[in-house]
Amino acid sequence: MKKIIAGNWKMNLTKQEATFLTDGLLAINEEIQDKNVILFPNFLLINELIEATAGSNLKIGAQNCADHVKGAYTGEVSPMQLADLNCKYCLIGHSERRNIYNETDEQVKEKTTLCLEHGITPIVCIGENLESREKGEYINDLKKQLDFVSGMDVVIAYEPCWSIGTGKIPTIKEIAEITEFVHSQGFKACLYGGSVTSSNATEILGVSEGVLVGGASLKVDEFVKIIFA
């Protein structure tokens, strides 16, 4: 399996900035055939970047999707509409979606199901908060989240909520533990996300199938270093 290097741009980058970053990655296109590099821009940029990266080794995904195919859901974007643009991946259940927008496990399951029905590979995010980690309840909490997508052909991204944007990450042993646990639940691929940088990417990639990169994916030089880690 190719290592997955995913860059979640979140609500960042203008059209000009996104083009500059994408061009920098296209410049190394021939050198990344052994990696699965996926960019997750905001919705406004998806179509343009899909066209710009056509025929390359870069893939474009969405940061979220609706839990309905169509209807009176103002401001939402459905998996059907993403598939119509030839969008191949979608992040589902990111910790920011769960914590800020109160997204539930039931919604994660519905979004995952709809993505699969429309030929989109879901990258389902799971994670625990600091209290759960300190109390030793994190495995049970992660299992509850995984149970909602059990048996589905998805990629899992483990992102401990207490690590995202803080500069703090679990030890390599702790990341390896979660990767093995995810595998034991029937999932083939587990990415790690949470304060990933070029300085820790090599070790993380040694115990996981890939990384979900946040802030470091906004800087072309740093992201390239992660890709080649």
Side-chain angles (χ1 to χ4, degrees):
M1 177 184 292
K2 292 182 179 181
K3 293 290 186 181
I4 299 172
I5 314 295
N8 179 14
W9 292 355
K10 306 188 180 184
M11 198 174 70
N12 295 294
L13 301 184
T14 63
K15 176 181 176 181
Q16 183 178 10
E17 291 168 338
T19 298
F20 175 80
L21 179 49
T22 304
D23 286 346
L25 296 174
L26 286 171
I28 61 168
N29 177 59
E30 295 304 316
E31 303 171 61
I32 59 174
Q33 296 184 46
D34 62 333
K35 305 285 178 67
N36 190 0
V37 181
I38 312 168
L39 305 178
F40 291 91
N42 67 62
F43 283 125
L44 297 175
L45 296 171
I46 288 177
N47 187 50
E48 181 169 333
L49 292 187
I50 286 175
E51 293 178 351
T53 58
S56 77
N57 292 305
L58 295 176
K59 299 293 183 287
I60 306 300
Q63 297 177 16
N64 182 39
C65 70
D67 53 357
H68 295 83
V69 174
K70 59 182 177 180
Y73 302 101
T74 301
E76 293 293 316
V77 176
S78 85
M80 179 181 69
Q81 293 166 327
L82 293 174
D84 189 49
L85 297 179
N86 202 30
C87 183
K88 296 299 186 183
Y89 294 87
C90 185
L91 294 178
I92 299 178
H94 189 280
S95 63
E96 291 161 0
R97 297 299 311 175
R98 293 177 187 264
N99 297 330
I100 299 174
Y101 300 100
N102 300 314
E103 218 163 82
T104 66
D105 288 320
E106 288 80 4
Q107 287 176 299
V108 167
K109 179 179 180 179
E110 186 60 28
K111 291 180 179 187
T112 301
T113 300
L114 291 177
C115 279
L116 290 170
E117 288 177 354
H118 288 87
I120 297 172
T121 298
I123 298 182
V124 179
C125 303
I126 63 170
E128 82 281 359
N129 58 34
L130 186 57
E131 181 182 8
S132 174
R133 166 62 65 169
E134 291 179 340
K135 287 184 176 180
E137 299 172 348
Y138 58 97
I139 290 294
N140 286 336
D141 288 346
L142 297 178
K143 187 177 188 310
K144 289 176 184 176
Q145 295 169 51
L146 289 174
D147 283 347
F148 279 87
V149 291
S150 178
M152 297 186 187
D153 186 12
V154 304
V155 174
I156 299 298
Y158 169 57
E159 40 163 30
C161 302
W162 50 271
S163 176
I164 298 171
T166 66
K168 300 176 181 179
I169 70 166
T171 66
I172 296 303
K173 182 178 179 180
E174 289 170 334
I175 295 173
E177 176 195 20
I178 302 304
T179 301
E180 292 172 6
F181 171 68
V182 170
H183 292 168
S184 76
Q185 299 302 297
F187 301 95
K188 297 178 182 178
C190 181
L191 316 183
Y192 171 77
S195 299
V196 177
T197 67
S198 60
S199 62
N200 59 33
T202 298
E203 281 192 306
I204 294 172
L205 287 167
V207 296
S208 68
E209 281 70 53
V211 287
L212 177 58
V213 188
S217 70
L218 300 174
K219 304 170 185 176
V220 63
D221 291 342
E222 177 72 357
F223 195 47
V224 167
K225 289 179 183 178
I226 294 173
I227 291 172
F228 290 128

